[in-house]
Amino acid sequence: MGEETHAATETEETLLTLQGQANIWNYMFSFADSMALKSAVELRIPDIIHRHGEPISLTQILAGISDASSPDITCLARIIRLLVRRKIFSAHQASDGGDTLYGLTHSSRWLLSESPSGSEPSLSPMVLMENHAWATAPWHYLSQCVREGGFAFKKAHGREIWEFASENSEFNKLFNDGMACTAKIVMSAIISGYKDGFESVGSLVDVGGGTGETVCEIVKSYPHIKCINFDLPHVVATASKCEGVTHVGGDMFQAIPKADAVFMKWVMHDWSDENCVKILKKCKEALAEERGKVIIVDFVLKPEGDGIFDDTAFVFDLLMIAHASGGRERTELEWKKILQEAGFPRYNIITVKALPSIIEAYPI
């Protein structure tokens, strides 16, 4: 009996060791998933399949790639094979026993850039931005940040991300397009899950609002709200006109336009605790006679959380090391600390069907 137990223990330990090795191999090459996904977006494979309205063959997909000068169907097959394994695309044998046919899944529908109405949300711009060489380069400096501090993006490019964007129009467009697509997706969930939160607001300033997609979505659902889109001058310079929205350029560390409510989506996670307190104090000054509220849309980290987006939140925390200037994602206790330091003793966390949550902060 003892020998059997010992043998079973040895077998279990061997399997765990082997699984551990497999895990390291998988994590070592997990960037391949990102690169395969990026290539599918660049080749517009989801759009090609979508235009046919049904699953199609590799030959049909290749024929739909308009700028293919010397197409390699074997290369395409190998990329799609991995993405089928990752459940980005589906694959099944044609009814006549012919070619394998590839279709869309619930995942690849988030990569469509074409739609009949043009209103379907897409994560394609974010895929292209986050996987561009400019955006991936800072990730190679994480260990250097541990050894000597500093900011990964600046180590990679010689300047922080905001300065880099102001000097590089191509990156600025990539970045703005990525932020715009996530704004549309997140705001759809915010507007449907935070209805009561907007109804009593007469005026709202979106701090770090980019090119204005966020406030435009708010105004569409709540036309009574007078909205200001507030961001750096070079960012708002490319903003499109939107009924009910005024675009204002400025620096949130200096002054924020006054309003009943200050809205910040994925802004605070870009900054250190010290800078977040400074920003929140400027938000407090912007609230008329300290009435109103600050509406923060950001992650609330749950170390033991097993929700659908909880794992992604921890990846975003490392993204803040790679791209931000001292930014981070925060737990509820960490949010409470900076809110109280900035003069917001009362807060409320609201969960919505999106990556981030809503944190309402009140100055009184």
Side-chain angles (χ1 to χ4, degrees):
M1 186 73 174
E3 289 181 2
E4 290 179 1
T5 302
H6 180 70
T9 302
E10 275 195 333
T11 301
E12 183 180 347
E13 180 63 25
T14 299
L15 289 173
L16 288 172
T17 299
L18 198 60
Q19 182 60 60
Q21 181 191 155
N23 288 343
I24 296 303
W25 282 112
N26 287 334
Y27 296 140
M28 187 191 309
F29 290 109
S30 60
F31 68 89
D33 293 342
S34 298
M35 293 300 107
L37 195 66
K38 179 191 177 189
S39 68
V41 171
E42 290 175 329
L43 295 168
R44 301 175 74 94
I45 294 173
D47 292 319
I48 293 168
I49 297 173
H50 185 251
R51 283 200 297 270
H52 279 78
E54 60 183 0
I56 59 176
S57 68
L58 283 174
T59 303
Q60 290 173 299
I61 293 173
L62 201 61
I65 302 173
S66 59
D67 58 352
S69 58
S70 182
D72 185 335
I73 196 166
T74 302
C75 183
L76 175 65
R78 292 160 70 183
I79 291 169
I80 290 185
R81 180 170 60 184
L82 176 64
L83 292 174
V84 167
R85 192 171 178 85
R86 297 294 182 262
K87 296 181 172 55
I88 303 299
F89 297 110
S90 64
H92 64 272
Q93 205 71 27
S95 57
D96 60 2
D99 293 337
T100 300
L101 302 180
Y102 299 92
L104 299 178
T105 65
H106 284 97
S107 295
S108 47
R109 290 187 181 279
W110 284 96
L111 302 176
L112 292 171
S113 59
E114 302 172 355
S115 65
S117 64
S119 61
E120 280 79 358
S122 173
L123 280 167
S124 286
M126 192 66 166
V127 170
L128 295 176
M129 188 272 280
E130 289 295 351
N131 291 287
H132 192 283
W134 286 324
T136 57
W139 287 92
H140 294 278
Y141 292 82
L142 296 191
S143 59
Q144 196 169 323
C145 288
V146 171
R147 291 190 183 100
E148 60 191 34
F151 305 135
F153 198 95
K154 189 172 184 178
K155 290 177 187 295
H157 297 294
R159 55 189 67 79
E160 293 179 29
I161 192 168
W162 315 117
E163 185 182 357
F164 187 76
S166 69
E167 297 171 355
N168 186 321
S169 59
E170 186 180 346
F171 179 77
N172 191 48
K173 185 178 188 312
L174 269 174
F175 185 85
N176 287 340
D177 288 349
M179 294 302 99
C181 81
T182 58
K184 183 176 288 188
I185 292 167
V186 170
M187 284 312 299
S188 175
I190 297 295
I191 288 170
S192 63
Y194 188 60
K195 294 177 181 177
D196 296 340
F198 289 119
E199 287 175 353
S200 61
V201 174
S203 60
L204 178 146
V205 55
D206 183 7
V207 175
T211 51
E213 282 75 12
T214 295
V215 282
C216 287
E217 292 298 314
I218 293 173
V219 166
K220 285 177 187 175
S221 297
Y222 300 93
H224 72 277
I225 301 178
K226 180 182 177 182
C227 286
I228 298 170
N229 177 51
F230 181 69
D231 211 313
L232 295 170
H234 77 270
V235 176
V236 297
T238 62
S240 302
K241 289 185 178 180
C242 179
E243 185 81 24
V245 175
T246 302
H247 298 290
V248 177
D251 182 347
M252 62 186 173
F253 288 100
Q254 298 300 318
I256 293 171
K258 292 189 177 296
D260 296 335
V262 176
F263 185 91
M264 291 188 291
K265 178 180 67 63
W266 276 340
V267 170
M268 301 289 279
H269 73 171
D270 288 329
W271 301 97
S272 66
D273 287 357
E274 181 183 359
N275 278 326
C276 281
V277 170
K278 290 178 182 178
I279 295 166
L280 284 166
K281 285 181 177 180
K282 292 301 176 183
C283 290
K284 188 175 180 181
E285 292 173 8
L287 297 176
E289 298 178 7
E290 295 196 345
R291 293 195 302 271
K293 60 186 174 182
V294 175
I295 306 165
I296 301 167
V297 178
D298 243 314
F299 283 113
V300 179
L301 288 180
K302 300 174 183 176
E304 306 302 324
D306 59 358
I308 194 168
F309 293 122
D310 282 338
D311 196 58
T312 307
F314 288 90
V315 176
F316 261 70
D317 187 41
L318 292 194
L319 176 64
M320 294 303 100
I321 299 176
H323 287 179
S325 304
R328 60 183 300 180
E329 306 299 349
R330 296 174 171 87
T331 63
E332 181 176 348
L333 286 177
E334 289 167 336
W335 277 115
K336 182 178 180 179
K337 180 176 180 292
I338 61 173
L339 288 169
Q340 289 183 340
E341 285 183 21
F344 291 86
R346 193 161 56 94
Y347 71 91
N348 184 34
I349 296 175
I350 301 167
T351 301
V352 293
K353 294 179 180 179
L355 275 171
S357 297
I358 298 169
I359 307 158
E360 292 179 318
Y362 300 90
I364 54 174

